[in-house]
Amino acid sequence: MLKLIQNEWMKLWHKKGTWAMVALVILFIIGPGIMMKYYETKEGSTWQESEQKSIDNYKDIINDDNLPAEDKTYYEEQIAISEYRLANDVPTQDLAGFMSFTGSMLTLVTLFTVIVAASIVSSEFSTGTIKMLLTRPVSRAKILTSKLLTTFIFGLLLYVVNVGVSALVGLILFGGTTGAELEIVNGQVVEKAVWNDLANHYLLSGGDFVMSMLFAFLVGSVFRSSSLAIGLTMFLSFTGGMIVMFLSKYKIVKYVWLTHSDLTQYERSSSILDGITMPFSLTILAIYAVLFLVISYISFMKRDVTA
């Protein structure tokens, strides 16, 4: 198995597109970081001065008699948070804040992993190298497993690159100081556990990452078309929310994997639909994951490739 994975890994990195994916992940972190630092420096003011300006602006907005009550409450909370920052010397931008921002770019990691998952099997059929691969004294199941594990390892590598480069760029541009994210709880300003929330976000983002990868792997294996696998997977990823909302009046929506793949919905202590919980979502995702894998393996092992 290790030899098979090594072979797949070498073939993957032999492609220029693989290097381009890693480079793009890095550039999409460095670019916004430099821009954020540039505009921060261009303003020529400290974060304390910017925070005081925000307080003054919020107070001017609150003085508007036509302002709805909900908006007034919101701005009053923002004033309380800003005043807390000034009183306790809590900066607005720091290393953790930048990493929290780049955490939203995990969608790019998922996209690139989907591209690899969709093509790692289908490309063998399109180029005809699948015949040479299957002449080895190794079962088809092992061959497909090595491709799946290689894809998963590549996705984890992109995850590590995202976290590592984010930490490095944030440390260089914003220093090692750690501020805090603030929120209003029961009328009091409290500090959120930034690093715990960040780690939780990366962990929960794995739901969409794993399911998108397995679905692309399934379509690529069954239909031998990487373009179909990539297109269909990304279509479902971007329109999944709308599909769930459209099916929300039917009970079956609770058993559709798109309803549960975005586990970050539980960060907000609220789910897309009422009555679903984290354990229930994980159970549904596990069932679909097994189903995707079973179909992929059956299709690959039963297919005639002599034609």
Side-chain angles (χ1 to χ4, degrees):
M1 179 59 71
L2 291 178
K3 289 290 185 180
L4 288 173
I5 294 176
Q6 183 182 18
N7 180 57
E8 294 296 333
W9 191 252
M10 291 173 62
K11 289 192 295 183
L12 180 63
W13 287 100
H14 185 70
K15 301 176 182 178
K16 294 180 180 179
T18 304
W19 293 96
M21 292 177 194
V22 177
L24 284 174
V25 170
I26 296 174
L27 288 176
F28 271 83
I29 295 173
I30 295 177
I34 293 176
M35 292 178 63
M36 291 167 65
K37 187 64 177 180
Y38 170 75
Y39 285 112
E40 179 184 287
T41 306
K42 185 179 179 181
E43 291 178 357
S45 58
T46 63
W47 71 267
Q48 290 92 339
E49 293 172 340
S50 298
E51 207 66 30
Q52 186 59 54
K53 289 180 181 179
S54 297
I55 292 175
D56 295 336
N57 291 333
Y58 292 148
K59 288 182 177 179
D60 291 338
I61 295 174
I62 289 177
N63 290 331
D64 184 358
D65 295 333
N66 296 322
L67 186 68
E70 292 182 358
D71 292 343
K72 184 176 181 179
T73 301
Y74 168 78
Y75 287 115
E76 287 176 344
E77 290 180 349
Q78 295 305 306
I79 291 174
I81 289 175
S82 295
E83 289 177 342
Y84 182 94
R85 289 191 183 280
L86 293 174
N88 296 274
D89 194 28
V90 180
T92 53
Q93 187 58 271
D94 61 351
L95 172 60
F98 178 72
M99 291 188 66
S100 180
F101 167 75
T102 56
S104 62
M105 297 181 185
L106 290 175
T107 303
L108 192 64
V109 172
T110 300
L111 171 61
F112 290 154
T113 307
V114 163
I115 292 175
V116 173
S119 60
I120 197 168
V121 176
S122 60
S123 61
E124 297 278 7
F125 286 93
S126 61
T127 58
T129 55
I130 187 64
K131 297 178 182 179
M132 184 181 301
L133 186 63
L134 293 181
T135 57
R136 296 184 178 187
V138 182
S139 67
R140 291 192 179 192
K142 283 188 175 182
I143 292 175
L144 191 62
T145 300
S146 67
K147 290 181 176 294
L148 178 63
L149 291 177
T150 300
T151 303
F152 186 71
I153 293 171
F154 176 73
L156 289 181
L157 174 64
L158 292 185
Y159 252 78
V160 172
V161 169
N162 180 281
V163 176
V165 174
S166 297
L168 181 61
V169 173
L171 186 63
I172 293 173
L173 296 179
F174 305 105
T177 58
T178 302
E181 291 187 24
L182 306 177
E183 61 180 349
I184 302 293
V185 178
N186 298 325
Q188 300 293 325
V189 179
V190 297
E191 297 186 10
K192 297 174 62 178
V194 180
W195 293 108
N196 289 342
D197 289 347
L198 188 59
N200 191 47
H201 175 75
Y202 275 92
L203 182 62
L204 294 180
S205 297
D208 186 56
F209 166 79
V210 172
M211 295 308 298
S212 295
M213 181 193 74
L214 292 179
F215 183 76
F217 191 79
L218 162 68
V219 178
S221 301
V222 174
F223 297 100
R224 294 178 289 178
S225 173
S226 58
S227 57
L228 175 62
I230 296 170
L232 185 57
T233 303
M234 297 317 299
F235 172 78
L236 291 177
S237 296
F238 287 112
T239 62
M242 291 186 290
I243 295 175
V244 172
M245 291 302 295
F246 178 76
L247 297 175
S248 60
K249 57 184 178 180
Y250 303 103
K251 291 184 178 180
I252 194 174
V253 71
K254 289 186 177 182
Y255 306 99
V256 177
W257 65 275
L258 292 173
T259 306
H260 309 276
S261 60
D262 182 16
L263 295 176
T264 58
Q265 61 184 298
Y266 295 105
E267 282 184 301
R268 304 178 292 272
S269 300
S270 62
S271 54
I272 298 177
L273 298 176
D274 294 332
I276 64 173
T277 61
M278 174 76 81
F280 181 74
S281 293
L282 292 176
T283 302
I284 295 296
L285 292 181
I287 293 173
Y288 272 93
V290 172
L291 181 63
F292 291 166
L293 288 173
V294 169
I295 297 174
S296 298
Y297 275 82
I298 291 178
S299 175
F300 185 78
M301 296 175 67
K302 298 295 183 180
R303 175 169 291 136
D304 182 9
V305 295
T306 59

